[in-house]
Amino acid sequence: MSLRLHDTATRSVRDFVPRVPGEVGIYLCGLTVQSPPHIGHLRSAVNYDVLRRWLMRSGYRVTFIRNITDVDDKVLTNSAKAGEPFWALAYSNERILSDHYSRLGVLDPTYEPRATGHITEMHDLIATLISDGHAYPAEDGSADVYFDVKSFDRYGHLSGQKPDSMQPAEDGPERAKHDPRDFALWKGAKPDEPVEAQWPSPWGRGRPGWHIECSAMCWRYLGPEFDIHGGGLDLVFPHHENEVAQSQAAGLPFARFWVHHGLLNLGGSKMSKSDGNVIDLPSIMALGVRPVELRYYLAAPQYRSVIDYSEEALREAASAYRRIENFAERASERFGAGEPGVLCAEFVEAMDDDLNTSGALGAVHDVVREGNTALAAGEDTTAQGALASVRGMLDVLGLDPLSPQWSSGGSSEGLRPVVDSLVALALEQRAAARTRKDWAAADAVRDRLKQAGVVTEDTAHGPRWTIEGR
RNA sequence: GGCGGGUUGGCCGAGUGGCUUAGGCAAGGGCCUGCAAAGCCCUGUACGCGGGUUCGAUUCCCGCACCCGCCUCCA
């Protein structure tokens, strides 16, 4: 069995067959960097990171392109409000985004192109569309260029929309459009817009329409046809519909699979900057929840399902992750971390079934239980095997507790040997007290350590300690 | 109005025409422990409502209710 993926275009789960055997090209719609990211955006990144890791683990060479849209209406609006150039605001948000991605263990993309770096490719596409009769420059001298929706009979195919039954836009048709559903490929510069957000074009100075940048970047980095295009469910229409229309009308076969992930809701509606119901990584960390625990929370449900954010569910996920982590740490203290090993069949089957991470984690927990039992029984070979397997499976999800990403305690890690020897001193005292059955003295040592944030526990192989809440 | 998705035990969340009906969190009981902690074992017994198909439906079909997303910037 091999990977089966849900494809939005056919509304079905299909066998994934790459265009070129052994190789996969993925384009993920990244962010418009109008403001810093919230955890809904991070869910998106984590979901496709899991897809990518699973493809890599399955033996594919993966080219992963995730774009940054660094110029659009909102970027301009927000930068005007902030009184800084649009590129300063965009870049500042982009850096925050990168930081949050890396804190969540999201692998760096193969390349991360920016819209503003691909104006010439957009011009090429637009010129082709105009000469083939799929686009037209506005006749009002605005320098706008519009895509002619009626000229492309498959318009609406991806999202299942029938253009004729669509609700008319509230703001009414723009005069320059032949049809209210036509969308801008190129937006002519307005008098009040900053010159640094304008580029020359054969149709006049202006900037890209919203969708054209993705068509241009897909084409540039993945070629006329590629394997997987991903993004949030809220992008299906109009963004992806318009993207596929303009690309195919320009003669590019485009994406073979459309993968869309479910959204993250807060308070009964989609987490959204414009609605103000937003939670970001810093506020999650302020709850005492670590990034790896957030990653578990975001990765555990199947990617197409809705997540209704709640702090309770987040904390439950953190507890579930700690259980796995606990096993991995105990086992590695016994006989070293080893290397990530074989995946169990249930895990593979679940992942191949449209990335059923929830089912896959069920398999992980089963192995953790077996590992714990083996550890308690002193069956070292079994326990070691369980550790390797758990690490291998968690690595696919980007959650291996012993990977360098998560295992180091950051800047304080260098202090660990120091603390270790100090705690050892205290534990010797406790051991002595226990030997003479002076339980009060033994417990006093343990209590003092607890007050200092050091949790001690007795195991079959002697006492061990951990930092409380790490 | 159009398109799509959802409703599973206290909570999160898979899944399936019956068979052993995941897994986690929380709860109760037990084992282990000097006491703990961690771990292990056991317990709860669920599939929005109403019809239909079927020997049998949580799972398939129809209807209804409610929720969410999209049709407008949005991961």
Side-chain angles (χ1 to χ4, degrees), chain A residues 149-222:
Chain A
V149 166
K150 284 208 182 80
S151 76
F152 187 71
D153 57 15
R154 262 175 301 167
Y155 190 77
H157 175 257
L158 175 67
S159 59
Q161 300 279 339
K162 294 181 197 78
D164 293 333
S165 58
M166 287 181 352
Q167 210 168 50
E170 277 175 22
D171 51 359
E174 293 174 43
R175 276 202 306 277
K177 291 181 181 178
H178 293 354
D179 184 291
R181 292 171 293 252
D182 290 352
F183 56 90
L185 298 169
W186 188 254
K187 294 182 165 181
K190 311 279 187 305
D192 59 330
E193 290 178 351
V195 284
E196 72 265 19
Q198 298 173 16
W199 288 262
S201 87
W203 314 283
R205 291 184 70 78
R207 58 189 168 92
W210 174 30
H211 321 289
I212 193 70
E213 85 280 19
C214 285
S215 290
M217 292 184 274
C218 286
W219 179 36
R220 178 83 159 87
Y221 298 102
L222 296 172

Side-chain angles (χ1 to χ4, degrees), chain A residues 4 7 25 36 111 122 143 155 168 173 196 208 212 215 242 246 249-250 268 273 281-282 288 299 343 414:
Chain A
R4 291 168 54 75
D7 176 24
Y111 188 59
M122 298 182 209
Y155 190 77
E196 72 265 19
I212 193 70
S215 290
N242 292 353
Q246 71 203 175
K273 289 172 232 182
L281 179 60
L343 316 179

Side-chain angles (χ1 to χ4, degrees), chain A residues 77 316 331 450:
Chain A
T77 307
E316 286 177 1
K450 181 94 194 301

Side-chain angles (χ1 to χ4, degrees), chain A residues 296-312:
Chain A
Y296 184 99
Y297 174 66
L298 296 175
Q302 207 267 352
Y303 73 92
R304 285 193 287 125
S305 62
V306 174
I307 295 180
D308 273 305
Y309 173 82
S310 77
E311 191 181 321
E312 189 192 0

Side-chain angles (χ1 to χ4, degrees), chain A residues 265-281:
Chain A
N265 288 181
L266 172 61
S269 64
K270 178 173 73 165
M271 189 169 286
S272 159
K273 289 172 232 182
S274 35
D275 293 351
N277 58 338
V278 164
I279 291 181
D280 60 8
L281 179 60

Side-chain angles (χ1 to χ4, degrees), chain A residues 16 48 50 92 129 152 199 218 234 299 315 378 402 418 449:
Chain A
F16 174 73
Y48 294 99
V50 169
S92 154
L129 289 169
F152 187 71
W199 288 262
C218 286
D234 55 350
R315 291 192 187 281
L402 305 180
V418 178
L449 287 170

